[in-house]
Each structure stands twice: as C-alpha cells, then as structure tokens.
Amino acid sequence: MSPPPPPLGRSRKKAAQSAGIGDPALDDSALVAARTALAQGRWTEVRALLAATGDDWDRRGHRVTVLAQEPTAAAWVRDWHLAEPESTDAPVLLACAAVYRAVAGKERPDRARDACLDAASLVPADPTPWLGLLLLERELGREEDVVRLFDEVRHRHPWHHHAHHLMVARLAERRPEAGQDPLHEVYDFASWAAEQAPSASPLAVLPVVAHAERYRVLAKAGSEPDDPKASGHWTGRRARLVMKAAFDWWLEWGDPHDRAGVTHPRGRIDLNFLAHAKYCEGRPAEAAALFHRIGHHATPAPWSYPDRDPNEAFRAARSAALGSA
C-alpha cells in the first residue's frame, strides 16, 4: 500500500525540498514543482513534466535522476504504473529510484539492475535507463562494467553530460599512487571528450572537472593538502592552460545552450567546478564573475572535496572572491 500524503506543516516541508544550495534540481523550477507534487502523491504532474521533456536526453536524465531521489518516489510511481501500465516513463523512473535505493543499501543491486534493463527494453533509444545502470556500477560495480555502460549511454547520446561526469570521476580513481601525473588517463579522456564535442557543448569544461576529481583522489590518498586552495594542484602550467581554455569558452558561450536556446539543465554544475578552479588558482576576479552567475545554486561537488562541508566551503570562497573583486 502506498504511504498517505504528508500532512500540512513540518512533515510536508521535510518531504519537499525547495531549490537552493545543494538542491540537485538546480535552477529547474518546473522540476522543483513536480518533485513537490510527487512527494504529496500527485504523480500526474511528473507525467506531464516528463512528457514535455521529450527526447532532450540531458534534461530527461537530469529530471529523472532528481525525481528518483525523492524518498517516496518509488511508492507513488508504482501507483502511476498501476494506473497507466502502458506508460514507459513510469518504469524508467521506478528503475532509477531503485538504483538510488540500492546505492543507499535499501534495495538489492540485482533488482535495480533488472529494473533498469527492463525499462531499457521498453525505450531502446533512451539513454536514461543506461544512465541509471551507470550510476549504480559507478558506486558498486567493476570498472569494465562502468566503461561498457558509458558506451551504451554514449551510443544513444554522444555528448551526455551526466555520463561523462560519472566516467571522469571513476577514471580519476585509477592509480592514486601516480600522484601529479600530467599524463594520467583521466586528463586524456576529458581532453578527448571536450575536443570531440560541438563548440557550444558544456563538455568544454570537462578537463576542469577531471582536474578537481583527481585532486579529490590525491587528497584522500594524502599526497595533496585537505585545503584545495593550499594545494599547488591548480597552479601548474597544465592546470593554468586548462582553466584558461574553459574560462574563455564560458566568456564566448555563456551558459551552455541546447538546440532550442534553453539553458543547459546541468549548466550550474559546470559553473561550480569552474568557479572552484578559478578560486583555487588564485584568480578571484574571474571567480567572482562565475559566483555572480551561479547565484544560490551551489553544488556539493567540488566544494566538498576532499571531505569538507560544501556549503561552508562555497560561502567562504564566494565571500573571498566577491570581496576582492
């Protein structure tokens, strides 16, 4: 039986996040509204949102994964699927909800895998069920499975933003003992992806993401200081070239846009990585411009790297940058 709708007052506030610092919905107000409705058992608003998203695969992946993290998503989406067994959106969302439950230890991983494969068979062109599997194996699987699933996503959408970020995070964890190796495979992969992508693609920022993910690994291994600004990781020649290229791209293209001229659904994530890099590089004026554009849409990564409170780190960096701009 599905849980009852949360009552008015404190419980409803807890069930429905509002967009802000750390909110995975970022600046997608339609997604925030649909998630709030789902937390209250109104799945028809989610159905309408996903129908309107269509085959904008980056936006669909972003919306499905955010909705899947809502604690009561699985229960209400099961009701949706029972009411509309012909729906293909409901099984995809259910599968991704199972993935997040499996990562949290609340669901058997094999059940989440089966749910994703079943959903994928219903929508062969949709990379989202494969993104769900990639999220699962990124946390629990073998590297060969991560690579195989990344290829499945990329086959359906070559420039899938979320999938590339997941792949970079996993590759960065290879060979922590190699330290500051400028030829590490994560840098090669990120540079290759950025070069292959269209000019306006936010994958232009992927080399910056790779740099931050590698710092996370090295700091946890003890070969870099816990304070990223105290590290020389962002001040070497290669790092400076990467940061300059990404910042120049941002100056030219602004927020990454899709074919309809709409802001990219995960664009704020790239801006956070770039602002973090510029702050750590010691270029506060450039960081300040990025902080202005980010607004209150801070993201846990990379401000939490290697093991910091992301809200405190973001606010401290923003205050320092804006105060010196």
Side-chain angles (χ1 to χ4, degrees), residues 70-295:
E70 163 58 41
T72 60
W76 294 124
V77 178
R78 284 193 198 99
D79 283 358
W80 172 15
H81 199 204
L82 287 171
E84 298 182 348
E86 73 284 359
S87 169
T88 54
D89 286 339
V92 172
L93 182 49
L94 267 175
C96 289
V99 164
Y100 281 103
R101 288 179 56 79
V103 169
K106 298 177 181 178
E107 177 75 84
R108 283 171 42 187
D110 60 316
R111 289 184 178 175
R113 291 187 185 99
D114 289 345
C116 287
L117 291 171
D118 288 345
S121 69
L122 297 174
V123 283
D126 186 355
T128 311
W130 298 101
L131 175 65
L133 282 167
L134 181 59
L135 282 160
L136 181 68
E137 303 305 350
R138 158 76 184 97
E139 298 297 331
L140 305 178
R142 302 170 301 172
E143 185 168 305
E144 54 264 39
D145 294 325
V146 173
V147 173
R148 174 179 58 82
L149 293 167
F150 173 75
D151 287 343
E152 291 283 0
V153 175
R154 194 171 183 275
H155 174 69
R156 291 161 176 82
H157 181 40
W159 320 123
H160 200 291
H161 189 275
H162 197 166
H164 278 81
H165 275 236
L166 291 169
M167 193 66 186
V168 160
R170 185 60 182 255
L171 287 175
E173 293 165 3
R174 285 182 178 176
R175 302 188 300 115
E177 72 281 357
Q180 287 282 9
D181 180 2
L183 301 179
H184 191 276
E185 45 267 53
V186 72
Y187 301 135
D188 287 343
F189 172 81
S191 296
W192 168 81
E195 290 167 3
Q196 295 291 314
S199 298
S201 170
L203 293 184
V205 183
L206 200 63
V208 174
V209 177
H211 215 73
E213 294 292 356
R214 186 61 178 167
Y215 165 75
R216 169 181 59 84
V217 174
L218 296 179
K220 284 192 173 182
S223 58
E224 288 289 337
D226 289 343
D227 180 358
K229 200 170 190 305
S231 167
H233 190 69
W234 279 269
T235 57
R237 181 177 179 276
R238 185 198 173 282
R240 290 197 306 271
L241 290 174
V242 165
M243 307 315 157
K244 182 180 185 305
F247 189 75
D248 288 349
W249 173 87
W250 179 70
L251 289 176
E252 180 177 358
W253 293 99
D255 282 325
H257 288 75
D258 64 17
R259 62 187 181 275
V262 179
T263 303
H264 192 279
R266 287 168 50 88
R268 291 297 189 279
I269 294 173
D270 294 305
L271 292 179
N272 274 268
F273 272 96
L274 192 50
H276 177 267
K278 284 297 179 181
Y279 171 71
C280 292
E281 188 188 2
R283 300 187 70 91
E286 294 174 353
L290 293 156
F291 280 119
H292 278 301
R293 194 67 189 89
I294 289 167

